[in-house]
């Protein structure tokens, strides 16, 4: 049985969303209200288990009276606010943000981004063949996971998950500045020389596949990764008594990666090294 | 947190630099060796939460190491982290954020050669090439091309910083190759910088208000400051009481001089009214807008006035602690202000009982380390707190949650200094200066193609032409840049623009922080635009996509059309407009939002690339 905490009842506030009056519980963001109203606003750096960082700016919407566009993921709804999600101005910024990202970062494993590029008619190659790219090589320095920073959009989710929001390990940070900023451990060392405890909670929140299981990385490289043929089975981790839920992703009768349901009240999607990576004994058939 | 330290150990020198700031380590938790601990009981571990609460000493700690050694090694960074209980990954992120720090070995002396707008127009690229050929590998000097050093009235400029105990600095401006090389190789014997008053062509003019003491008083003497009217405004403030001071400031119509023009009285009132405590006062002296040097001249020429003004602001808003965030490239201002604070403390003008009025207030100087973005108010808070200088999203606004999450009032140096005449002459008399909507005197930083570059004080309402005539504008004026890199260009036939907030707004441009940079037709416009674009690319913090990638794409497009005009440039100009619009609309902070302003104005007003 899943216990759903009811919490303190919240007052509803009224505002206008694309000309329609909507009511949202006090404290909810514009994005919450959009989703409740069935509107699709693209998001990349927003994560269901994290405080919004509003760094990617792909969810911007227009608020009457505001000088600039506002990020729907973090701006709280206010009574009487007039929000428009689909104006030419908002669509323009989303389009350019998608172009800027796609022209500098490898988004091939970012879910949904191809659809958005089509929807917003973004043309990432318009910046020409010489447009600067990240040009990072995948960092394979341990047996558990790979950091492929060529796919990193610098959403800060891994930093937040590793730091104060979940894991409290603080093994990674953003280093450098501007276009040269990269996610790095101390002294930009290999992961094995860092404070990393291999919980893999950064992989769980990474929206682009820049952080991935070594198993997934190797299978993608070999061309054998086939998400469509994978099954997902959620079970309880057997290592200790906490009772974390594990979702085992299985392809050809082999576990290829492990995630955890984000709505699970025990884990909120977080695991430790054993639950996340310690599955080999299950498939040890000798 | 999972604190993890590698095997790298600090050298004795590095350890001494950190210990000089933080005191000797008291337990093995903080990295003390057994024999260093004077405590008899070795089971005692000081540190932990107590140390974590000193996180804001991270930036001063990085400065301490960099000042002593010239760069920050792994061992030194780890030791500092151990002392402050900061995860090394975070500290690495902070150290690599600032342009003045290096985490790679480099020579002990770094010569920063300004290649920004005013210096570029004064031949910085030749100078730089000359210096680099003289100071090659093995010279013991690293040459670093730098954004604006705030010495525009003496362009081209170079600043040498020689690590050691103490760190030594020397300025060469206007710099020749010889002068710059001498400054770098022997900073102690380099020629002394001219007095701050040399940057004020009007110095001694009785009509001056804000600059009245620059060049008149001895900037190192509190007595001289008091003999010239110093500390009468603070006495008046104590007579009026906090609410009375805020009323005067509100009635005076004073608005922020840093560029945003927000009413100062409203800001003070909003902070004073916050029930949460403590309140903080922050003086933004991180003057980094290319072409701006007024705050430097004020701090070098009349440092006590800033201390007095901060005390008044603290008193009015209920703050007992003020932070003065000073640009890292201003060593002389730092020395003058440190001296001023020490004298004020010794004479009871700062401390537990200011002027015997029962009000406690003190000021701490925090140095920036080379990041334009830290002039953004919330980025500045993060910088002081020991985090990367990235802007926060607003709301909440600083008056509610600012420094250390507490109600904070943040003002620019010039804004604060205006409070003194408001209190001494009274709000009505102050408000009578200038125009109805832009009251008071205003400082302008004039540089470029003029005979008498420097800081000018004029009442709001004088025209651009008046100012340029005063500064002795040269013939063949091609363009005037108002407001710095984040501002906009105007044409030579627009000199009747009134220099007020409303006047410049009506003319479709901006007053910004008061930069007025004149360019004659010898300076190729596309080169200037490219330099502005480089500046924004270098200074973007990298937090949001429109600014991080947009500034790169802007620079690339300007590179492509540097030699092109008309139809050959049309495609890239359209691209610039689209990217610029998204940066303006969707960036988190003012840096990204204004990064396209100057380029846009050059295309639309000056007809660059036509």
């Amino acid at each position: 049985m899943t216990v759903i905490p009811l919490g303190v009842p919240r007052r509803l506030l009224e505002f206008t969303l694309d000309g329609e009056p909507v009511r949202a519980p006090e404290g909810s963001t514009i994005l919450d209200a959009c989703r409740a109203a069935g509107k699709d606003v693209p998001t990349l750096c927003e994560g269901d288990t994290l405080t919004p960082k509003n760094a990617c700016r792909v969810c911007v919407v227009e608020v009457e009276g505001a000088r600039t566009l506002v990020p729907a993921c973090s701006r709280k709804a206010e009574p009487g606010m007039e929000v428009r999600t689909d104006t030419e101005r908002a669509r323009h910024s989303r389009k350019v943000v998608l172009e800027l990202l796609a022209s500098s970062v490898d988004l091939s494993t970012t879910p949904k981004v191809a659809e958005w590029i089509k929807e917003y008619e973004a043309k990432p190659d318009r910046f020409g063949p010489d447009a600067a790219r990240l040009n990072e090589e995948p960092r394979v320095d341990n047996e558990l996971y790979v950091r492929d920073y060529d796919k990193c959009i610098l959403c800060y989710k891994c930093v937040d998950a590793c730091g104060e929001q979940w894991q409290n390990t603080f093994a990674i940070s953003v280093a450098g500045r501007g276009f040269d900023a990269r996610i790095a451990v101390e002294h930009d060392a290999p992961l094995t020389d860092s404070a990393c405890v291999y919980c893999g909670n950064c992989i769980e929140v990474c929206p682009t596949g820049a952080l991935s299981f070594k198993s997934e990385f190797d299978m993608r490289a070999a061309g054998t990764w086939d998400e469509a043929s994978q099954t997902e089975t959620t079970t309880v981790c057997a290592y200790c008594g906490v009772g974390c839920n594990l979702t085992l992703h299985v392809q050809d009768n082999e576990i290829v990666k492990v995630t955890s349901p984000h709505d699970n009240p025990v884990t909120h999607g977080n695991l430790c090294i054993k639950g996340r990576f310690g599955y080999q004994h299950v498939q040890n058939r000798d | 947190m999972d604190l993890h330290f590698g095997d790298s150990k600090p050298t004795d020198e590095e350890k001494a630099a950190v210990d000089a700031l933080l005191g000797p380590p008291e337990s093995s938790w903080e990295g003390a060796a057994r024999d260093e601990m004077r405590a008899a009981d070795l089971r005692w571990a000081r540190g932990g939460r107590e140390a974590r609460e000193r996180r804001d000493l991270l930036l001063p700690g990085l400065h301490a190491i960099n000042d002593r050694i010239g760069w920050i090694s792994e061992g030194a960074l780890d030791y500092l982290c151990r002392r402050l209980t900061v995860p090394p990954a975070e500290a690495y992120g902070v150290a690599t954020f600032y342009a003045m720090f290096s985490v790679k070995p480099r020579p002990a002396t770094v010569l920063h050669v300004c290649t920004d707008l005013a210096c570029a127009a004064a031949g910085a690229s030749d100078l730089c090439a000359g210096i680099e050929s003289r100071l090659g590998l093995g010279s013991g000097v690293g040459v670093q091309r730098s954004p604006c050093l705030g010495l525009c009235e003496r362009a081209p400029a170079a600043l040498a910083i020689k690590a050691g105990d103490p760190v030594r600095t020397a300025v060469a401006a206007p710099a020749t190759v010889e002068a710059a090389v001498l400054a770098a190789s022997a900073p102690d014997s380099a020629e002394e910088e001219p007095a701050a008053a040399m940057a004020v062509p009007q110095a001694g003019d009785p009509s001056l208000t804000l600059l009245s003491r620059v060049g008149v008083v001895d900037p190192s003497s509190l007595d001289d400051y008091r003999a010239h009217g110093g500390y009468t405004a603070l006495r008046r403030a104590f007579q009026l009481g906090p609410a009375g001071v805020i009323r005067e400031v509100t009635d005076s119509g004073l608005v922020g001089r840093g560029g945003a023009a927000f009413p100062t009285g409203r800001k003070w009132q909003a902070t004073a009214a916050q029930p949460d405590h403590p309140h903080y006062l922050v003086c933004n002296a991180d003057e980094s807008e290319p072409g701006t040097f007024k705050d430097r001249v004020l701090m070098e020429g009349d440092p006590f006035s800033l201390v007095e003004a901060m005390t008044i602001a603290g008193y009015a808003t209920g703050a007992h602690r003020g932070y003065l965030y000073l640009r890292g490239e201003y060593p002389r201002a730092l020395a003058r202000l440190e001296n001023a604070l020490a004298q004020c403390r010794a004479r009871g003008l700062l401390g537990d009982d200011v002027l015997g009025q029962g009000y406690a207030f003190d000021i701490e100087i925090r140095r920036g380390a080379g990041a334009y973005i830290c002039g953004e108010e919330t980025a500045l808070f993060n910088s002081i707190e020991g985090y990367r200088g990235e802007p926060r999203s607003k709301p909440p606004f600083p008056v509610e949650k600012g420094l250390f999450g507490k109600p904070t009032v943040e003002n620019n140096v010039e804004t604060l200094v205006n409070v003194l005449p408001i209190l001494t002459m009274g709000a009505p008399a102050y408000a009578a200066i200038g125009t109805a909507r832009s009251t008071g005197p205003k400082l302008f930083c004039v540089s470029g193609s003029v005979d008498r570059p420097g800081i000018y004080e004029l009442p709001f309402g004088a025209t651009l032409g008046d100012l340029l005539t005063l500064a002795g504008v040269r013939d063949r004026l091609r363009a005037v840049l108002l407001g710095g890199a984040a501002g906009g260009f105007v044409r030579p036939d627009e000199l009747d623009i009134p220099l007020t907030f409303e006047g410049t707004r009506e003319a479709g441009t901006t007053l910004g922080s008061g930069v007025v940079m004149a360019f004659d037709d010898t300076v190729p416009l596309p080169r200037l635009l490219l330099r502005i674009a480089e500046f924004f690319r270098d200074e973007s913090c990298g937090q949001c996509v429109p600014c991080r990638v947009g500034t790169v794409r802007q620079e690339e497009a300007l590179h492509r059309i540097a030699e092109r005009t008309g139809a050959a440039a049309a495609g890239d100009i359209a691209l610039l407009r689209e990217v610029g619009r998204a940066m303006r609309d969707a960036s988190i902070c003012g840096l990204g939002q204004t990064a396209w302003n100057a380029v846009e104005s050059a295309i639309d007003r000056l007809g660059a690339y036509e």
Side-chain angles (χ1 to χ4, degrees):
Chain A
M1 188 188 78
T2 310
V3 180
I4 299 163
L6 290 174
V8 185
R10 289 194 286 175
R11 263 186 301 183
L12 293 178
L13 52 85
E14 269 183 61
F15 68 104
T16 323
L17 190 59
D18 289 331
E20 303 282 329
V22 290
R23 305 176 75 185
E26 215 170 28
S28 46
T29 62
I30 294 175
L31 184 67
D32 295 333
C34 287
R35 287 183 172 161
K39 286 183 195 300
D40 182 32
V41 176
T43 57
L44 282 169
C45 71
E46 184 265 348
D48 53 356
T49 60
L50 295 163
T51 307
K53 181 72 184 166
N54 65 71
C56 75
R57 317 302 279 184
V58 79
C59 71
V60 285
V61 295
E62 205 167 335
V63 172
E64 183 75 30
R67 185 171 48 86
T68 57
L69 300 174
V70 306
C73 67
S74 63
R75 176 58 71 87
K76 297 263 191 295
E78 292 160 29
M81 208 178 210
E82 275 186 51
V83 180
R84 276 183 290 275
T85 62
D86 213 32
T87 58
E88 189 274 330
R89 198 173 160 209
R91 290 184 67 92
H92 174 82
S93 278
R94 283 183 211 157
K95 179 188 87 153
V96 172
V97 164
L98 289 167
E99 288 174 337
L100 293 173
L101 276 178
S103 63
S104 55
V105 184
D106 173 8
L107 296 179
S108 61
T109 52
T110 309
K112 288 201 205 158
V113 88
E115 289 162 46
W116 295 331
I117 284 182
K118 214 162 152 193
E119 185 194 334
Y120 290 95
E121 295 170 7
K123 297 184 192 65
D125 27 349
R126 65 205 290 233
F127 301 113
D130 300 330
R133 299 187 61 88
L134 298 187
N135 286 333
E136 292 284 328
E137 289 296 319
R139 297 187 184 202
V140 190
D141 49 21
N142 67 87
E143 287 301 306
L144 301 182
Y145 74 97
V146 175
R147 301 177 288 158
D148 186 357
Y149 289 142
D150 206 41
K151 293 178 172 175
C152 175
I153 59 165
L154 222 63
C155 68
Y156 290 70
K157 279 159 96 170
C158 57
V159 177
D160 289 347
C162 186
E164 58 174 10
Q165 291 192 30
W166 290 117
Q167 186 62 28
N168 266 295
T169 290
F170 296 94
I172 45 178
S173 163
V174 179
R177 190 164 82 188
F179 195 71
D180 300 325
R182 298 287 186 273
I183 303 292
V185 303
E186 59 266 35
H187 319 304
D188 205 14
L191 211 56
T192 44
D193 291 347
S194 77
C196 179
V197 296
Y198 303 93
C199 62
N201 292 332
C202 52
I203 310 175
E204 185 74 50
V205 296
C206 179
T208 65
L211 302 172
S212 66
F213 273 62
K214 178 99 176 358
S215 48
E216 174 175 349
F217 180 81
D218 290 342
M219 286 172 78
R220 279 186 189 274
T224 55
W225 181 259
D226 180 14
E227 218 153 305
S229 77
Q230 292 171 6
T231 58
E232 293 179 16
T233 308
T234 300
T235 179
V236 177
C237 180
Y239 274 108
C240 76
V242 171
C244 300
N245 276 195
L246 304 178
T247 301
L248 307 175
H249 298 244
V250 177
Q251 181 179 332
D252 300 330
N253 212 24
E254 294 273 339
I255 298 169
V256 292
K257 78 171 176 186
V258 178
T259 59
S260 180
H262 289 197
D263 59 355
N264 183 281
V266 178
T267 68
H268 298 281
N270 298 299
L271 294 171
C272 74
I273 181 172
K274 289 181 274 184
R276 180 88 59 190
F277 293 109
Y279 54 80
Q280 286 79 3
H281 67 286
V282 177
Q283 45 206 37
N284 195 345
R285 297 185 178 89
D286 297 331
Chain B
M1 63 184 74
D2 296 315
L3 270 188
H4 170 275
F5 301 106
D7 298 330
S8 317
K9 293 281 172 272
T11 62
D12 290 346
E13 187 87 20
E14 289 165 344
K15 209 158 171 285
V18 174
D19 290 349
L21 176 77
L22 302 176
E26 292 187 348
S27 73
S28 54
W29 170 278
E30 290 187 278
R34 269 179 100 93
D35 55 332
E36 278 176 293
M37 282 184 286
R38 285 144 301 156
D41 185 356
L42 293 178
R43 292 168 300 177
W44 187 252
R46 276 179 213 275
R49 199 191 65 165
E50 205 178 293
R52 273 201 302 282
E53 283 172 354
R54 300 194 297 173
R55 165 79 187 235
D56 63 299
L57 291 176
L58 183 62
L59 184 56
L62 293 171
H63 266 301
I65 300 166
N66 195 64
D67 279 352
R68 185 79 69 101
I69 314 295
W71 68 287
I72 300 160
S73 71
E74 286 188 25
L77 189 69
D78 278 1
Y79 180 65
L80 180 62
C81 288
R82 207 183 267 279
R83 293 297 315 272
L84 296 173
T85 315
V86 173
E90 283 204 351
Y92 181 76
V94 174
T96 52
F97 186 83
Y98 296 99
M100 290 175 79
F101 296 148
S102 171
V103 292
K104 298 204 171 72
R106 63 174 176 185
T109 306
V110 178
L111 182 65
H112 299 264
V113 185
C114 178
T115 56
D116 223 317
L117 301 171
C119 290
S125 59
D126 286 348
L127 173 73
C128 215
I131 293 172
E132 277 164 351
S133 69
R134 285 274 296 275
L135 294 171
L137 280 176
S139 66
V141 178
V143 180
Q144 200 171 322
R145 289 170 186 244
S146 153
C148 183
L149 290 171
L151 295 162
C152 316
E153 85 280 12
R154 286 179 274 150
L159 166 70
I161 301 176
K162 184 176 186 180
D165 185 21
V167 62
R168 265 143 307 174
T169 59
V171 164
T176 56
V177 174
E178 278 68 33
V181 169
L182 177 70
S185 44
D188 290 329
S189 53
E191 206 181 321
E192 201 176 326
E193 260 192 275
M198 295 302 288
V200 182
Q202 298 162 301
D205 186 330
S207 70
L208 295 179
T209 308
L210 303 174
L211 297 172
S212 62
R213 279 183 290 257
V214 177
V216 177
V217 295
D218 173 1
S220 61
S221 162
L222 177 56
D223 290 326
D224 209 25
Y225 176 68
R226 294 180 84 156
H228 286 86
Y231 278 100
T232 47
L234 182 62
R235 282 177 201 286
R236 176 95 184 104
F238 282 129
Q239 284 165 13
L240 291 167
V245 174
I246 292 177
R247 201 179 320 115
E248 286 289 300
V249 172
T250 307
D251 291 349
S252 75
L254 176 66
V255 301
R257 305 292 199 237
F262 189 83
T264 307
R266 249 169 62 199
K267 199 188 257 189
W268 287 18
Q269 175 61 46
T271 309
Q274 292 290 328
D276 194 11
H277 280 278
H279 294 179
Y280 289 107
L281 168 75
V282 174
C283 171
N284 185 346
D286 190 47
E287 177 177 68
S288 318
E289 185 67 54
T292 316
F293 48 101
K294 60 190 172 66
D295 295 347
R296 173 181 61 81
V297 172
L298 278 172
M299 291 184 289
E300 288 180 353
D302 193 11
F304 289 96
S305 67
L306 180 59
V307 177
E308 182 184 357
M310 281 182 73
T311 313
I312 293 169
Y315 174 66
T317 55
H320 296 287
R321 182 148 208 90
Y323 285 90
L324 202 169
Y325 189 89
L326 179 67
R327 208 183 161 192
E329 291 90 338
Y330 282 177
R332 184 158 73 168
L334 175 69
R336 296 266 160 90
L337 286 164
E338 276 177 342
N339 169 61
L341 292 184
Q343 290 200 31
C344 289
R345 277 187 204 119
R347 302 276 284 276
L349 294 167
L350 285 176
D352 293 338
D353 188 10
V354 175
L355 273 178
Q357 299 284 326
Y359 167 64
F361 185 72
D362 210 334
I363 297 172
E364 197 175 322
I365 300 176
R366 289 298 171 94
R367 282 155 71 197
Y372 171 70
I373 187 61
C374 290
E376 201 279 343
E377 53 183 1
T378 57
L380 194 158
F381 299 151
N382 278 342
S383 181
I384 291 181
E385 289 178 25
Y387 294 90
R388 290 165 56 81
E390 292 169 353
R392 303 174 183 170
S393 55
K394 290 183 270 191
F397 290 94
V399 293
E400 193 190 330
K401 284 191 190 318
L403 186 64
F404 303 116
K406 296 294 175 184
T408 303
V409 65
E410 179 173 341
N411 288 127
N412 168 264
V413 174
E414 186 190 347
T415 314
L416 284 168
V417 170
N418 268 282
V419 172
L420 305 180
I422 289 172
L423 291 187
T424 48
M425 68 172 72
Y430 179 91
I433 306 171
T435 64
R437 279 185 292 165
S438 300
T439 58
K442 174 80 190 98
L443 300 183
F444 295 97
C445 315
V446 187
S447 61
S449 178
V450 291
D451 289 330
R452 293 176 294 279
I455 305 293
Y456 288 84
E457 178 184 322
L458 290 176
F460 272 114
T463 66
L464 180 56
D466 296 340
L467 177 63
L468 284 174
T469 309
L470 205 59
V473 66
R474 296 189 192 130
D475 295 339
R476 297 167 60 192
L477 186 67
R478 166 76 170 100
V480 181
L481 179 61
L482 293 180
F489 285 98
V490 297
R491 290 187 307 273
D493 62 354
E494 295 180 293
L495 299 186
D496 56 348
I497 293 177
L499 295 172
T500 57
F501 292 111
E502 65 276 12
T504 46
R505 201 176 307 129
E506 268 166 39
T509 182
T510 175
L511 202 57
S513 56
V515 173
V516 176
M517 216 182 262
F519 296 100
D520 60 27
D521 57 7
T522 59
V523 184
L525 208 48
R527 280 268 291 283
L528 283 182
L529 299 183
L530 203 49
R531 183 65 187 95
I532 291 174
E534 272 169 23
F535 174 79
F536 282 112
R537 184 221 41 208
D538 281 346
E539 298 297 338
S540 167
C541 77
Q543 191 178 201
C544 69
V545 176
C547 176
R548 178 176 77 235
V549 191
T551 52
V552 173
R553 297 290 177 255
Q554 172 170 280
E555 191 202 352
E556 287 168 351
L558 288 170
H559 250 298
R560 282 196 293 271
I561 59 172
E563 306 291 331
R564 289 191 227 158
T565 51
D572 275 314
I573 288 177
L575 189 73
L576 281 166
R577 281 188 203 283
E578 286 207 19
V579 173
R581 188 175 164 215
M583 286 200 283
R584 181 174 293 160
D585 276 349
S587 296
I588 293 178
C589 80
L591 189 152
Q593 288 162 11
T594 58
W596 145 251
N597 280 3
V599 180
E600 182 187 38
S601 69
I603 293 170
D604 290 343
R605 280 186 116 101
L606 303 181
Y609 309 108
E610 267 173 18

